[in-house]
Amino acid sequence: MSQTAMSETYDFLFKFLVIGNAGTGKSCLLHQFIENKFKDDSNHTIGVEFGSKIINVGGKYVKLQIWDTAGQERFRSVTRSYYRGAAGALLVYDITSRETYNALTNWLTDARMLASQSIVIILCGNKKDLDPDREVTFLEASRFAQENELMFLETSALTGENVEEAFVQCARKILNKIESGELDPERMGSGIQYGDAALRQLRSPRRAQAPSAQDCGC
Ligand code: GDP
Ligand code: MG
């Protein structure tokens, strides 16, 4: 398969969100993941609000469509529509700011209320490179993650450490849930779509017989 064909073919598309207090590094994490470089402050253009990238997870190609709050969180106005139909989320705090860690409970409540019930969330303790200024220990954050059924990593959007891993681990968990039947990609608002590659494999008799919109009479 040619490079171009490869880059346009994927098995699944997952909608992802990046949430957490302003200043924790959400836009930088997205930028680092998409562009493989740190977004420095000299770049005053409005933050990327959206990015997408295809990753390989255990042999499956997954296109991640990632939404950034684009500054809405500064006004505590992250809307219901932002959360709608998301399959996964990075919940970000800053390891040098206890205030951003204390806010996690509120973010979780909103995510669980406003996003899909089965949203898979990975907790990211960002700015790992600023260890001397740390206000939140790895241990307490991992306990919090465990109690709240979240995956957990410390990341650095500056050095790139664990950035790709955070997205990949979250995607892997979603794929596992699809494979185990715990998650149904066809349910409305799942935040998951089949890509061309998966559709080709799915030409099963059951699908062929599914009534078309014209036949159903509704
Ligand atoms: P957002 O408001 O959550 O989108 O945060 P930004 O991505 O705009 O980042 C807020 C500030 O933190 C900026 O000054 C970034 O340069 C800085 N920053 C973001 N990520 C990191 C990181 O991993 N390490 C360090 N040292 N600084 C970071
Ligand atoms: Mg931002």
Side-chain angles (χ1 to χ4, degrees), residues 158-178:
L158 177 66
T159 67
E161 190 177 352
N162 281 343
V163 175
E164 174 119 1
E165 285 79 357
F167 288 94
V168 169
Q169 282 193 19
C170 195
R172 184 178 298 127
K173 177 109 174 234
I174 297 168
L175 271 179
N176 288 344
K177 285 189 168 194
I178 294 172

Side-chain angles (χ1 to χ4, degrees), residues 26-27 68-69 71 73:
K26 299 182 298 299
S27 300
D68 186 11
T69 54
E73 77 283 19

Side-chain angles (χ1 to χ4, degrees), residues 46-60:
I46 296 171
V48 187
E49 297 176 17
F50 171 82
S52 73
K53 183 169 170 177
I54 298 179
I55 53 173
N56 185 328
V57 187
K60 290 242 164 25

Side-chain angles (χ1 to χ4, degrees), residues 21-28 38 41 73-74 126-127 129-130 156-158:
N21 275 18
T24 53
K26 299 182 298 299
S27 300
C28 289
F38 185 57
D41 287 337
E73 77 283 19
R74 287 183 198 279
N126 191 41
K127 309 197 188 177
D129 55 287
L130 297 179
S156 170
L158 177 66

Side-chain angles (χ1 to χ4, degrees), residues 95-164:
I95 66 153
T96 72
S97 159
R98 180 154 293 273
E99 187 193 342
T100 66
Y101 178 77
N102 290 341
L104 291 174
T105 317
N106 284 340
W107 283 105
L108 262 184
T109 309
D110 276 8
R112 296 248 150 93
M113 197 167 62
L114 302 174
S116 149
Q117 285 290 304
S118 46
I119 187 167
V120 173
I121 303 173
I122 183 160
L123 179 64
C124 297
N126 191 41
K127 309 197 188 177
K128 187 178 194 292
D129 55 287
L130 297 179
D131 196 62
D133 304 327
R134 179 189 285 278
E135 289 185 0
V136 182
T137 67
F138 182 89
L139 191 64
E140 71 174 310
S142 40
R143 285 207 188 105
F144 176 85
Q146 213 167 11
E147 282 160 13
N148 290 280
E149 293 175 10
L150 309 169
M151 289 175 289
F152 171 56
L153 277 178
E154 284 190 346
T155 57
S156 170
L158 177 66
T159 67
E161 190 177 352
N162 281 343
V163 175
E164 174 119 1

